[in-house]
Amino acid sequence: MFCLVDCNNFYVSCERVFNPKLEKKPVVVLSNNDGCVISRSNQAKALNIKMGALYFKNKDFFKERGVCVYSSNYPLYADMSNRVMSVLKRFCPDIEIYSIDEAFLDFKTIYHKDLLLYAKEIKETVKQWTGIPVSVGLASTKTLAKAANLYAKKNFECQGAFEINDSTDIEALLSEISPEDIWGIGKQYLSILKANNINTALDLRNASDVWIKKNLTISGLRTVWELRGRSCIAFEMVSSPKKQIGCSRSFPSAVTKLSELEEAVSAYVSAAAKKLRRQNSLTSYVGVFLLTNCFNDRPQYSNRAGLCLVEPSSYTPELVGAAIKVLKVIFREGYRYKKLGVFFKDISSLENFQYTFSKSQNNRNRQNSLMNTVDKLNSSLGTDALKVASQGISQSWRMRQNKLSFRFTTRWSELPVVK
């Protein structure tokens, strides 16, 4: 049996842990630069606030209805996620962390317990120890576990946990679920499914293998097999290294100066390089893209380019230097830039790296040691406690976060004050 644990309205729940006044109130969390809604409390959903709703268009509505609005507080959310996952590991050592707010547990070794009662114990313990409410779904495949989790969220009588087993009326359950809500299907296939009279997850499960493979590819066929109770999506306790790593942001206001773009590209490369080292990898290609705001009537420009490195690297100063070279090639004067991003390709494992005469092994070891020290200090003292000088100080291009709560669990200066 697989168990899917999913945090409810995760970003909102994190805000509520340290601000109990938000309980039972409509709350939304906004995307980068306070752009649009990316997390909603149940009370906000009841006001028909949609995911992706633009903040500037709904500001007055939020004020009239007493909606509490917060900027994304990613350090807080990441730390709270780590706490939830740590609790889950106490209950089951076989865990696949699927996203910041979801994890699969493989219950193959939990054979001596009533699994539904065990799932409810997990739910209650996570809530007590972290303050985060979760829903739990149990089934013989990962896709059915996702469906069970969805059912647990929508049906109060489940008390946050639901199990699909031999006694469950699976056909009745799947007939209540839209195909787009099935893991691995999504909205991209909705039109073709409706055109072929496939309106529920049950219709999808009953469709022929030949038609599914032709129209939804082999990945869609695996999903259908899983709906039939055949487990064919692998359980991955260790996530595979990413083949491409990047970092991009929209600017809160237009940027016109090359110097400011150089600061931004330096910061984004530093963030991406940290991800690269975290998975013990090197990159041989540094790319940069740049674009203006296509939603206004000003002159438009966009471009991207890259640079192949002589030798694979994860050394931040080296990668920053390469990215700035690329930026200078694609930058054009006279444009108002809205977004910039960097990306690494041709990623390889550090363990398989072979040294060349261009750089001695001793020099590479010094670089690795320096980056390990920087990463450890930034982890303990806060992001960008140490950074390359080209990132700048004032950073006027940094994203807007006008409604940011405190980073309660990762900054000493922002600890909650008890009165």
Side-chain angles (χ1 to χ4, degrees), residues 224-243:
V224 171
W225 285 345
E226 289 241 327
L227 290 175
R228 297 171 185 166
R230 175 181 172 184
S231 181
C232 52
I233 298 178
F235 187 84
E236 300 179 359
M237 291 181 62
V238 179
S239 57
S240 302
K242 294 182 179 179
K243 296 180 181 179

Side-chain angles (χ1 to χ4, degrees), residues 1 46 122-123 135 145 178 218 234 241 279 281 316 327 329 399 411:
M1 294 290 283
I122 291 174
K123 179 184 76 72
S135 297
S178 171
I218 189 66
Q279 67 174 38
S281 297
T316 296
L327 174 65
V329 170
M399 65 181 180
R411 291 290 179 99

Side-chain angles (χ1 to χ4, degrees), residues 98-129:
Y98 180 65
S99 67
I100 192 172
D101 61 347
E102 288 180 281
F104 285 102
L105 307 178
D106 189 346
F107 276 177
K108 64 185 176 185
T109 59
I110 316 294
Y111 53 84
H112 58 288
K113 295 180 181 292
D114 181 318
L115 294 185
L116 186 57
L117 286 177
Y118 196 56
K120 289 181 178 179
E121 183 183 351
I122 291 174
K123 179 184 76 72
E124 291 165 2
T125 304
V126 171
K127 182 67 168 70
Q128 182 180 1
W129 290 9

Side-chain angles (χ1 to χ4, degrees), residues 342-407:
V342 302
F343 56 95
F344 301 151
K345 296 195 302 184
D346 298 337
I347 291 175
S348 57
S349 171
L350 179 61
E351 295 175 357
N352 300 328
F353 176 71
Q354 292 185 341
Y355 293 94
T356 66
F357 288 114
S358 63
K359 283 187 180 174
S360 68
Q361 182 172 348
N362 187 43
N363 184 39
R364 180 64 71 182
N365 288 340
R366 285 201 301 270
Q367 290 181 352
N368 291 340
S369 178
L370 174 59
M371 289 296 96
N372 287 336
T373 301
V374 170
D375 290 342
K376 287 179 181 178
L377 286 172
N378 284 337
S379 178
S380 61
L381 300 177
T383 304
D384 288 346
L386 282 179
K387 59 186 179 183
V388 292
S390 57
Q391 287 182 231
I393 303 299
S394 60
Q395 298 182 335
S396 58
W397 46 267
R398 288 192 74 87
M399 65 181 180
R400 184 187 299 114
Q401 291 179 300
N402 294 332
K403 299 181 178 297
L404 186 67
S405 59
F406 286 165
R407 291 155 288 190

Side-chain angles (χ1 to χ4, degrees), residues 300-311:
Q300 300 295 316
Y301 172 75
S302 65
N303 204 349
R304 67 169 56 208
L307 180 67
C308 293
L309 304 180
V310 175
E311 196 172 87

Side-chain angles (χ1 to χ4, degrees), residues 264-289:
V265 86
S266 299
Y268 299 167
V269 167
S270 298
K274 184 179 179 180
K275 298 177 187 177
L276 192 68
R277 293 190 292 271
R278 191 180 297 154
Q279 67 174 38
N280 206 28
S281 297
L282 305 167
T283 183
S284 298
Y285 183 93
V286 178
V288 179
F289 68 85

